[in-house]
Amino acid sequence: MMHITSLHSKMLRTSVLLCLFTAVIWCSAAPNPSEEWWRDSFIYQIYPLSFKDSNGDGVGDLNGITSKLEHIADIGASALWLSPIYVSPMVDFGYDITNFTDIDPVFGNLADFSKLVTKAKSLGLKVLLDFVPNHSSDKCSWFTKSIQKIKPYDEYYIWKDAKIVNGTRQPPNNWLSAFQGSAWEWNDQRKQYYYHAFAAGQPDLNYRNSQLNEEMKNALRFWLNRGVDGFRIDTIPNLIEDSRFLDEPKIPNTGLPDTDSGTLEHIYTYNQNETYDILKTWRAVLDSYNGTKKMFLTEAYTTLAYQMRYYEYGSNIPFNFMFMGELNNRSSAVQFKRTIDRYLDAIPAGQSANWVTGNHDQGRVASRFGLKRADQLSMMAAVLPGVGIIYNGDEIGMVNRPMSYKETLDPAGCNAGPSRYNTTSRDPQRTPFQWDSTTSAGFSTNTKTWLPINPNYKTLNLAAEKLASVSHYSIFKKLVTLKKLPVISKGTTQIILVGYNVFGVVRRQAGQSPVVLLINFNDVSTLADAASWMNVPDQMKVYVSSIGSNIQIGATVNTNRIILPAAASVILV
Ligand code: NOJ
């Protein structure tokens, strides 16, 4: 009897402790909006090779970025995220790293980095770095030592024996690289294959080795100690591979060549469960720092369910890429409504939504959606709740610069060959920023730049847009200001179609005038009765309208009869 009672009280104590423990975990995991400085702001992505060259070598650098930080502050963004600036042979333009804790000389050095951070902070900007944990460069000393089987590096990468078929050496399985062809590369010194999800110069790191993860955590600490406010985590779903190394199933009838990774269902190399546990270990590193809350943005092209899981394990912004695939310039207003509703409904309570309009891997917004719709995505990102993420140059409506195969540098393009490179190359959206109409668009004093300047820079540039009465730039600035209104950060959100082809968003907050976004998905002018369909005031003011729509900014409109020209968009307040 005594026994049972003491067992019961022990059990009771344990369950009380468990409840407390769970509550503590729950409390620490629950987001606290007041410390999340990124809430309802715009974050600005800089592609360092192409932002601003300070030393005339035709390549962008840190001092160049520092000299242009006022531009980001003027726009009103909360933070800048720098694509990789670490030591790199540039096989994948910085996403192949030989030293995770130093700056590539082409960009400058650690002292230049400190200057950048100091100036950014003085302008009220946070600094975010790209964390590239999935792979290193094959020139990284870890890899050289791994080839030689020097401990502990011998297990820092994914090594496998060859499969011998009819006496010949074959890769261990059918896994394919995102940059075409087998994901396995033979190393004649170690006499094994290594796995590379991307280029052969980017061997995948092995997260089943805890010492490797300690190295990566130290890399995070290194930069946190130098004042960074968080990281964008590169291609996180690739982190772990299934240890059975089974062939991945083929997707029938893709129309792609057998060498293209789009022909396989990546059930063993993507979205593996352990990925989330690793993220948690990195979150703990960030949370061990006091002061300004540190953030993670996670890059994962994946399903909504996998995307939402990243919140649970420590991502603040699991990138929402819906504008880069699921929705495109052929999508209807109804498809936009459904996809956005579904996304907003899935966000865990208290977490922040986000809207990525463009990045260095996707065609420019103005090219993907067309000139008339160049600002529509930013308008959605501004009016919808959550963080907007914009790629440098999209704020001035830069467009893709088509490249010949000869001009192509991107491994994703080069490896696809002359007949297909233009569907895979990312060079067209990576050309230098167009600051003004002087030599090399004011990007460099050098007439030869690492990627060619888009010849349209003479007319399409920031300086010209600052002078124009209405421009992509002036529209974008207004959108950032709008995003800061309480009705946007705290108001309710309704997505309402006006008829079949006009997409609308209404944000309302008691005591405030509502904010209304209307987008005409028709190729012809459309009459919209927003007053009836959306229950908004009879008269509202035009806050901003798309270029060429001829809807006068500042004009008062009768909301029961708004004429929206083809593809036009307007925000009313
Ligand atoms: C995603 C990056 O955005 C892309 O540019 C890069 O090629 C791959 N990850 C590999 O790091």
Side-chain angles (χ1 to χ4, degrees), residues 92 95-96 130 132 135 179 198 202 232 234-235 299 360-361 426 430:
D92 190 17
Y95 284 94
D96 49 317
D130 219 308
V132 187
H135 41 263
F179 293 161
F198 295 89
Q202 294 168 293
R232 172 259 192 195
D234 185 63
T235 199
E299 188 215 22
H360 62 294
D361 292 329
R426 300 162 296 176
R430 295 176 176 180

Side-chain angles (χ1 to χ4, degrees), residues 72-135:
I72 304 159
D74 277 353
I75 287 176
S78 61
L80 50 115
W81 142 38
L82 297 173
S83 279
I85 49 174
Y86 318 107
V87 186
S88 166
M90 302 286 164
V91 166
D92 190 17
F93 300 98
Y95 284 94
D96 49 317
I97 298 167
T98 49
N99 185 344
F100 289 84
T101 54
D102 205 353
I103 306 284
D104 193 280
V106 84
F107 295 124
N109 55 38
L110 283 169
D112 297 330
F113 180 73
S114 294
K115 276 186 243 153
L116 186 156
V117 172
T118 307
K119 183 167 168 193
K121 302 263 151 129
S122 76
L123 292 169
L125 294 166
K126 304 282 193 293
V127 178
L128 307 170
L129 289 185
D130 219 308
F131 178 51
V132 187
N134 180 63
H135 41 263

Side-chain angles (χ1 to χ4, degrees), residues 231-461:
F231 302 86
R232 172 259 192 195
I233 305 179
D234 185 63
T235 199
I236 192 164
N238 282 102
L239 275 192
I240 293 268
E241 297 71 36
D242 187 295
S243 49
R244 292 167 297 168
F245 293 94
L246 302 172
D247 277 357
E248 290 191 323
K250 271 199 152 264
I251 305 172
N253 310 323
T254 58
L256 295 167
D258 287 346
T259 48
D260 197 296
S261 65
T263 57
L264 296 181
E265 225 179 296
H266 300 295
I267 57 172
Y268 299 129
T269 55
Y270 210 68
N271 293 328
Q272 305 297 296
N273 273 327
E274 299 99 308
T275 308
Y276 294 91
D277 301 324
I278 293 166
L279 173 59
K280 219 169 172 181
T281 69
W282 298 336
R283 179 77 245 173
V285 173
L286 263 59
D287 288 345
S288 70
Y289 280 74
N290 294 325
T292 306
K293 176 92 177 162
K294 310 291 185 269
M295 81 181 301
F296 271 138
L297 305 97
T298 39
E299 188 215 22
Y301 290 88
T302 190
T303 61
L304 194 55
Y306 280 121
Q307 201 184 327
M308 292 302 131
R309 253 180 109 184
Y310 284 109
Y311 282 112
E312 233 179 283
Y313 287 79
S315 174
N316 308 102
I317 302 287
F319 279 148
N320 162 14
F321 288 133
M322 69 170 65
F323 296 151
M324 300 181 164
E326 213 177 339
L327 296 172
N328 54 49
N329 64 349
R330 294 175 306 280
S331 308
S332 64
V334 183
Q335 282 166 327
F336 264 77
K337 172 175 163 52
R338 177 151 195 241
T339 311
I340 293 172
D341 276 337
R342 205 162 38 188
Y343 168 72
L344 287 175
D345 289 345
I347 307 257
Q351 296 284 6
S352 170
N354 72 86
W355 314 92
V356 183
T357 58
N359 65 31
H360 62 294
D361 292 329
Q362 313 293 333
R364 290 264 175 204
V365 179
S367 301
R368 292 200 323 271
F369 280 80
L371 286 182
K372 280 188 180 163
R373 300 179 65 180
D375 303 308
Q376 266 175 22
L377 296 187
S378 310
M379 289 192 188
M380 288 194 219
V383 172
L384 287 163
V387 175
I389 297 134
I390 178 159
Y391 176 51
N392 61 196
D394 283 348
E395 77 277 28
I396 57 168
M398 278 177 65
V399 295
N400 291 346
R401 192 287 199 179
M403 304 271 171
S404 67
Y405 185 62
K406 223 171 127 208
E407 285 173 318
T408 298
L409 301 179
D410 180 15
C414 297
N415 298 352
S419 61
R420 287 205 313 134
Y421 80 98
N422 54 2
T423 62
T424 55
S425 172
R426 300 162 296 176
D427 292 331
Q429 60 266 27
R430 295 176 176 180
T431 59
F433 193 98
Q434 294 164 208
W435 295 102
D436 55 40
S437 60
T438 65
T439 306
S440 290
F443 162 71
S444 174
T445 51
N446 200 324
T447 49
K448 190 157 171 33
T449 52
W450 81 282
L451 276 178
I453 308 274
N454 194 320
N456 69 4
Y457 79 94
K458 289 268 180 208
T459 49
L460 199 168
N461 62 65

